[in-house]
C-alpha cells in the first residue's frame, strides 16, 4: 500500500519540476503547506489532471488541489470511516468504486518520496519504517485517480484522489508486498489522455532507479513533520 508520502520541495519547486502543467488558483493556495515531510491521508495535495472543466481558459495538464482519500462523485454522502487511499491495479477497470475514475479521471501525484513499514518480527508490533525515493533525488509522480464529490452538508465540491498500487519490484519486495505505481516521465501524457485502459503502464518501477533507507519510528505520527524525519538510522 501507500499511506504516507513526503514532499521536501517547496510548492514552487514542484511546479518547476513539472513545468508542463499549468496552475489552478486552488493549487497555488497550498504554498504555505509545503515542504511537507510527513504527508498523511485526508490532507490536500497538488495533483495534475488533464484539464479543469469549469475554467474554459485552461486546457491540458493542470495542477489542482485535491484531498487524499477517494470519495466517488455518485456517493450521496461519505461512508463512515476512512475513504480508500489506495486502489489496486488488479480489477481497477471493473471495481465499482474506481472504474469510472480510472477510465475518465486519472491523475499524476507529484512527490519526493514515500514511506513504508517492514514488520521485523512478523508480529505487527515492531515495524521498521523506510523512506523510499528516486536514486537521482528528483521528484517523481505516482499514478492516481480522482473524483469530485459534493458535500451534502455544505454544498461544497471537494476534489479527492487515491494512489494506485501494484506488486513490488525487487527492492520493495524486501519490506512489503505492494508498492505505488510510479510513472516514467515519458508516460505522463498517455496516463492523462482519454485512453480508457492504459493497464500496461501500471507496472513495478525499476528497482535500480530507486533507493530506500531506514528512518526513525517517529514518522509514525503525522504530527512529526520536520526535515529530520528523513535522516537515516542504523
Amino acid at each position: 500500500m501507500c499511506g504516507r508520502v513526503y514532499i521536501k520541495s517547496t510548492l514552487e519547486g514542484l511546479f518547476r519540476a513539472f513545468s508542463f502543467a499549468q496552475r489552478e488558483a486552488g493549487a497555488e493556495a497550498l504554498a504555505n503547506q509545503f515542504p511537507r515531510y510527513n504527508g498523511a491521508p485526508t490532507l490536500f495535495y497538488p495533483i495534475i489532471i488533464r484539464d479543469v472543466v469549469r475554467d474554459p481558459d485552461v486546457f491540458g495538464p493542470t495542477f489542482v488541489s485535491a484531498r487524499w482519500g477517494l470519495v466517488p462523485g455518485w456517493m450521496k454522502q461519505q461512508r463512515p470511516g476512512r475513504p480508500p487511499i489506495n486502489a489496486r491495479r488488479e480489477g481497477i477497470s471493473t471495481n465499482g468504486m474506481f472504474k469510472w475514475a480510472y477510465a475518465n479521471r486519472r491523475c499524476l501525484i507529484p512527490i519526493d518520496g514515500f514511506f513504508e513499514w517492514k514488520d521485523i518480527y512478523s508480529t505487527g508490533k515492531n515495524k521498521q519504517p523506510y523512506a523510499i525515493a528516486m536514486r537521482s533525488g528528483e521528484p517523481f509522480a505516482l499514478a492516481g485517480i480522482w473524483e469530485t464529490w459534493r458535500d451534502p452538508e455544505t454544498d461544497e465540491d471537494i476534489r479527492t484522489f487515491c494512489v494506485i498500487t501494484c506488486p513490488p519490484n525487487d527492492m520493495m519486495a524486501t519490506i512489503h508486498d505492494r508498492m505505488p505505481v510510479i510513472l516514467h516521465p515519458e508516460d505522463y501524457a498517455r496516463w492523462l489522455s482519454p485512453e480508457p485502459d492504459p493497464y500496461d503502464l501500471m507496472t513495478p518501477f525499476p528497482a535500480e532507479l530507486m533507493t530506500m533507507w531506514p528512518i526513525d519510528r517517529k514518522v509514525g505520527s503525522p504530527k512529526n513533520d520536520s526535515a529530520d524525519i528523513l535522516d537515516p538510522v542504523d
Side-chain angles (χ1 to χ4, degrees):
M1 64 176 294
C2 178
R4 205 71 65 80
V5 301
Y6 70 86
I7 299 173
K8 63 181 182 180
S9 305
T10 63
L11 189 61
E12 192 62 37
L14 213 57
F15 288 157
R16 287 196 300 270
F18 295 84
S19 58
F20 62 87
Q22 303 175 75
R23 311 175 189 180
E24 182 196 50
E28 293 182 322
L30 295 173
N32 64 353
Q33 299 185 32
F34 296 92
R36 180 180 289 161
Y37 296 99
N38 195 357
T42 74
L43 299 177
F44 282 83
Y45 294 82
I47 67 170
I48 300 173
I49 65 174
R50 186 166 67 242
D51 57 40
V52 181
V53 177
R54 291 175 295 177
D55 187 345
D57 297 323
V58 178
F59 300 94
T62 306
F63 269 104
V64 299
S65 171
R67 190 178 69 190
W68 189 1
L70 190 79
V71 183
W74 47 260
M75 192 172 287
K76 298 301 181 183
Q77 59 183 13
Q78 186 172 326
R79 291 178 179 173
R82 189 173 68 175
I85 61 174
N86 294 152
R88 296 172 68 95
R89 73 163 189 186
E90 299 87 349
I92 192 171
S93 63
T94 56
N95 185 304
M97 176 71 73
F98 307 123
K99 64 181 181 180
W100 299 112
Y102 172 65
N104 301 287
R105 291 178 292 276
R106 295 186 298 273
C107 64
L108 304 175
I109 306 160
I111 61 171
D112 284 295
F114 60 96
F115 303 118
E116 194 52 81
W117 280 256
K118 179 180 181 180
D119 192 346
I120 303 174
Y121 301 116
S122 300
T123 63
K125 296 182 180 180
N126 196 0
K127 294 186 177 183
Q128 173 62 53
Y130 285 78
I132 300 103
M134 290 297 110
R135 189 171 294 276
S136 67
E138 297 175 320
F140 56 99
L142 306 182
I145 54 177
W146 67 278
E147 288 266 16
T148 298
W149 173 72
R150 178 161 293 181
D151 187 330
E153 295 183 0
T154 64
D155 206 35
E156 176 187 9
D157 285 338
I158 301 175
R159 190 181 289 111
T160 65
F161 73 94
C162 71
V163 177
I164 299 175
T165 67
C166 65
N169 59 26
D170 290 343
M171 183 191 78
M172 287 295 301
T174 63
I175 63 170
H176 206 273
D177 61 358
R178 303 291 292 180
M179 69 178 291
V181 173
I182 300 170
L183 295 167
H184 293 274
E186 58 267 28
D187 294 326
Y188 291 169
R190 185 178 165 211
W191 182 254
L192 294 176
S193 76
E195 181 181 342
D197 186 15
Y199 188 85
D200 59 291
L201 297 184
M202 297 185 290
T203 56
F205 197 78
E208 62 271 17
L209 299 180
M210 301 177 66
T211 184
M212 71 178 185
W213 61 97
I215 58 174
D216 194 274
R217 288 183 177 86
K218 66 183 178 182
V219 71
S221 171
K223 294 180 180 179
N224 297 322
D225 186 30
S226 55
D228 61 357
I229 283 284
L230 302 177
D231 290 347
V233 299
D234 294 334

